Amino acid sequence: MSTPEQVTIEIEGNQYEFPVVTGSEDEKAIDISKLRSSTGYVTLDPAFVNTASCTSDITFLDGEKGILHYRGYPIEELAAKASFIETSYLLIYGELPTSDQLTTFTDKITASSSIPEQLKSLFDTYPASAHPMANLSSMICTLSAFYPEASATDLSAEQIDASIAQLISQVTTLTAYSYKKSLGQTLVDPDQKLDYCANFLKMMFGLAGENFEIDQDIVEALNLLLILHADHEQNCSTSAVRLVGSSRTNLFAAISSGALALWGPLHGGANQAVLEMLETINEAGGDYNQFLAKAKDPDDSFRLMGFGHRVYKNFDPRAKIIKVACDKILAKLGVENPLLAIAKGLEEAALQDEYFVSRKLYPNVDFYSGIIYHALGIPTDMFTVMFAVGRMPGWIAQWKEMLDQGSKIGRPRQIYTGAVPRSYESIELR
Ligand code: SDX
C-alpha cells in the first residue's frame, strides 16, 4: 500500500490536512508542527510513547523485529568486527573512518586523556559514599569550568571536534579515578602507549608505579560491551541530552544531564539492579520462580530487572550478543558464576510464562551485561558508569545532530487540569 503524502483530520466539522513523513526504513509520521496554529488543538502523549521528537540519521531500531543499526551497519557486524573508537567515529561523523581519519581521531583521544590537576583534587573531597554516577555526572559538568572555551555558543567545527575527542577520552579517566578513590588507592594516570580499552583497564585495575599485564580477552570483552551500549536512538537519557542541549548550553552540561537520566533503575541503572536481583535470588537459595511470581503480581511493585523494553517487543539484539559473549568470556577467564546459571534459568522460565509472553517482555541489554562486568572485576555500583562510557559517543552524536539540524529550543505543551481562576482572600490571623 503506497504511503499517503498527507492525512486529513476532522475537528469540529472542519477538515485539516497534515503532511506524512516517511523515513528511510519506511517508518511513517504525521507532521503536526502546524496543528496548534491551524486547529487550536495540541496532542497529548505522556512519556512520548507515540511521539517522534526529531528525525535522525544515526541509529535505527525495529522493536518488533529486534533490529539495531548504527548508521545503517547491523549491530551484529560492528560488534564482531569493529573497534569502539571506529564505532564512535561512525556514530558521530556518519561514516566509518578511513585509516588516516581513524589515526587522527585516535591520536586526539589519546592526547586528551589527562584531566587538570585541580579537577583531580576534587576527587579527594568528593564524598566517598557517593554513588559513582553522582560523581561522574558532576565531574563531566565540572569539565566546563576548566574548558570555558568549549562553553561558547559559536564553536568552530575544530573546537567541537576537540571537545568531542576530549570527552570520549576523559570519561574513562574520570571513571577510573572515581573507582580508585572508592578503594582508597593512588590514582593511575593515563598511559598514552595503550589503546583506549587497555588504557581504561590499566587506570581501573593497575597499581601506581607497578607493571600492569594486559589481558587481551578482557580488552576484547570491554570493546564489545562499549560498542553494544554506544547508541540507542531517542531513549530517556539521549532525549535529555537533546532537550538540554537545545537551550544551547555547553556540551559538558548537556552530556551530564544524560548521565543523570541514565542513572535511573528503569534505564541504565537496570544493570546494577539485575545483578542485585540475581544475588538476592542466589542468597535465597536460587529459586527464581518466587521472583517471577512477584514480578507478575499487580500489587507488587517488583519488576524483573533486565526484562522488558519501551521499544523492543522481541529479543533486544544486544542481549543476544551479550548472552553468547557471557559464556565465552567466563569460560576464557575460568570464572564460575552461579548468577549466570540463575539468569539463564530465569530467562527460560520467563520466556515460557504467559504473563511475559503476552506482554512481549524479553531480556534487554542490561540482563546479561552485569554478569560480564562482574567477571571483569567491575564493582556492581559502577555498572551504570560503564553504560555511560559506552553511551558517550551516542549522546555526543545526537547532541551534534541536534545542533546541525538547527533545532529550536525544546518546549513541550501541556493540558492544564488544575484550579480554574479564583480570587485571593487574606486569612484572618489569630
Ligand atoms: C534501557 O529506551 C531505551 O532504548 C533504553 C535502553 C538504551 O539502550 O538506552 O535500551 C536501555 O533502559 C533498557 C531497559 C532497562 N530497564 C529495565 O530492565 C527495568 C525493568 N523493565 C521495566 O521497568 C520496563 O520494561 C521498562 C521501563 C523497560 C519499559 O517500560 P514500559 O514500556 O513503560 O512498559 P510498560 O510499563 O508499558 O509495561 C507493559 C506491561 C505492564 O503490565 P500491565 O500494566 O500491562 O499489566 O508489562 C509490565 C508492566 O507492568 N512490565 C513488566 C516489566 N516490564 C514491563 N512486568 C514485570 N517485569 C518487568 N520488567
Side-chain angles (χ1 to χ4, degrees):
M1 189 176 80
S2 69
T3 302
E5 294 292 307
Q6 60 196 26
V7 292
T8 303
I9 300 177
E10 182 169 324
I11 298 176
E12 296 171 13
N14 299 313
Q15 296 204 330
Y16 302 88
E17 292 181 342
F18 297 96
V20 168
V21 174
T22 303
S24 49
E25 289 280 358
D26 216 24
E27 295 168 302
K28 299 176 186 0
I30 301 168
D31 179 345
I32 56 167
S33 40
K34 296 204 172 23
L35 176 69
R36 190 170 186 277
S37 58
S38 47
T39 71
Y41 280 60
V42 295
T43 56
L44 178 61
D45 185 21
F48 314 116
V49 176
N50 304 286
T51 298
S53 60
C54 61
T55 60
S56 179
D57 299 345
I58 300 171
T59 292
F60 170 71
L61 58 93
D62 181 322
E64 283 64 37
K65 296 180 185 151
I67 288 172
L68 173 59
H69 294 167
Y70 291 163
R71 298 282 190 181
Y73 292 94
I75 189 65
E76 296 78 5
E77 290 186 37
L78 294 169
K81 300 172 188 166
S83 74
F84 175 61
I85 297 305
E86 253 184 311
T87 305
S88 299
Y89 187 97
L90 169 68
L91 286 168
I92 295 166
Y93 297 106
E95 297 295 337
L96 283 169
T98 63
S99 173
D100 289 348
Q101 287 168 332
L102 183 60
T103 301
T104 304
F105 189 54
T106 303
D107 290 350
K108 272 187 194 169
I109 289 170
T110 304
S112 52
S113 54
S114 298
I115 61 173
E117 281 307 313
Q118 198 185 354
L119 179 56
K120 272 171 81 170
S121 65
L122 293 184
F123 285 88
D124 297 329
T125 52
Y126 204 87
S129 59
H131 190 285
M133 282 303 281
N135 185 299
L136 181 70
S137 53
S138 312
M139 296 300 178
I140 289 173
C141 190
T142 306
L143 286 171
S144 58
F146 293 92
Y147 304 100
E149 69 283 1
S151 303
T153 50
D154 55 351
L155 292 175
S156 68
E158 291 71 27
Q159 285 171 315
I160 288 178
D161 291 345
S163 296
I164 287 173
Q166 176 192 343
L167 201 38
I168 289 176
S169 191
Q170 292 182 350
V171 70
T172 60
T173 312
L174 296 172
T175 297
Y177 285 4
S178 158
Y179 178 51
K180 280 300 188 199
K181 274 298 168 192
S182 72
L183 298 177
Q185 289 183 1
T186 307
L187 303 182
V188 174
D189 288 329
D191 181 341
Q192 298 199 351
K193 296 186 296 302
L194 299 176
D195 71 24
Y196 187 84
C197 289
N199 174 51
F200 184 23
L201 291 166
K202 180 177 179 185
M203 290 193 289
M204 286 282 288
F205 301 114
L207 293 173
E210 295 191 18
N211 185 40
F212 178 71
E213 196 169 318
I214 305 291
D215 180 328
Q216 206 48 41
D217 289 336
I218 296 183
V219 170
E220 284 166 21
L222 180 58
N223 181 70
L224 171 68
L225 286 165
L226 295 179
I227 288 174
L228 293 175
H229 286 83
D231 192 53
H232 213 241
E233 54 130 283
Q234 305 311 315
N235 56 83
C236 177
S237 54
T238 297
S239 298
V241 169
R242 287 186 81 121
L243 184 62
V244 169
S246 72
S247 73
R248 293 333 185 249
T249 185
N250 63 77
L251 169 61
F252 303 120
I255 299 295
S256 177
S257 75
L260 290 166
L262 186 73
W263 189 1
L266 294 187
H267 190 12
N271 53 20
Q272 172 175 347
V274 167
L275 209 82
E276 288 163 353
M277 174 184 74
L278 294 174
E279 282 170 342
T280 305
I281 295 172
N282 193 34
E283 283 150 22
D287 173 17
Y288 43 74
N289 290 306
Q290 61 177 320
F291 287 83
L292 280 180
K294 276 172 65 67
K296 292 155 50 176
D297 180 352
D299 300 326
D300 191 325
S301 62
F302 174 79
R303 283 196 158 178
L304 196 61
M305 301 315 279
F307 253 75
H309 199 275
R310 171 60 52 79
V311 178
Y312 286 124
K313 301 308 172 192
N314 196 326
F315 265 91
D316 180 336
R318 302 167 296 178
K320 279 185 180 173
I321 297 169
I322 292 180
K323 182 180 177 182
V324 170
C326 245
D327 281 324
K328 232 173 79 183
I329 290 157
L330 267 63
K332 274 191 178 182
L333 297 176
V335 170
E336 276 295 316
N337 187 335
L339 303 185
L340 181 56
I342 292 173
K344 287 182 174 177
L346 193 54
E347 177 192 2
E348 197 178 326
L351 293 179
Q352 293 165 22
D353 185 297
E354 191 277 336
Y355 173 92
F356 292 90
V357 173
S358 62
R359 291 168 176 79
K360 298 184 178 176
L361 303 176
Y362 290 87
N364 60 49
V365 66
D366 293 307
F367 190 65
Y368 285 104
S369 54
I371 295 172
I372 298 188
Y373 286 139
H374 188 73
L376 300 183
I378 310 275
T380 307
D381 67 357
M382 296 261 325
F383 288 1
T384 309
V385 174
M386 297 305 291
F387 194 142
V389 173
R391 187 52 54 90
M392 190 55 72
W395 284 335
I396 291 171
Q398 300 273 353
W399 168 83
K400 186 173 180 295
E401 181 177 69
M402 178 275 302
L403 287 183
D404 292 346
Q405 289 172 332
S407 169
K408 296 169 78 169
I409 184 168
R411 205 272 184 222
R413 307 295 297 218
Q414 64 162 26
I415 295 298
Y416 177 70
T417 54
V420 294
R422 51 187 169 169
S423 302
Y424 173 82
E425 285 173 20
S426 303
I427 52 172
E428 282 173 31
L429 295 175
R430 292 194 186 82

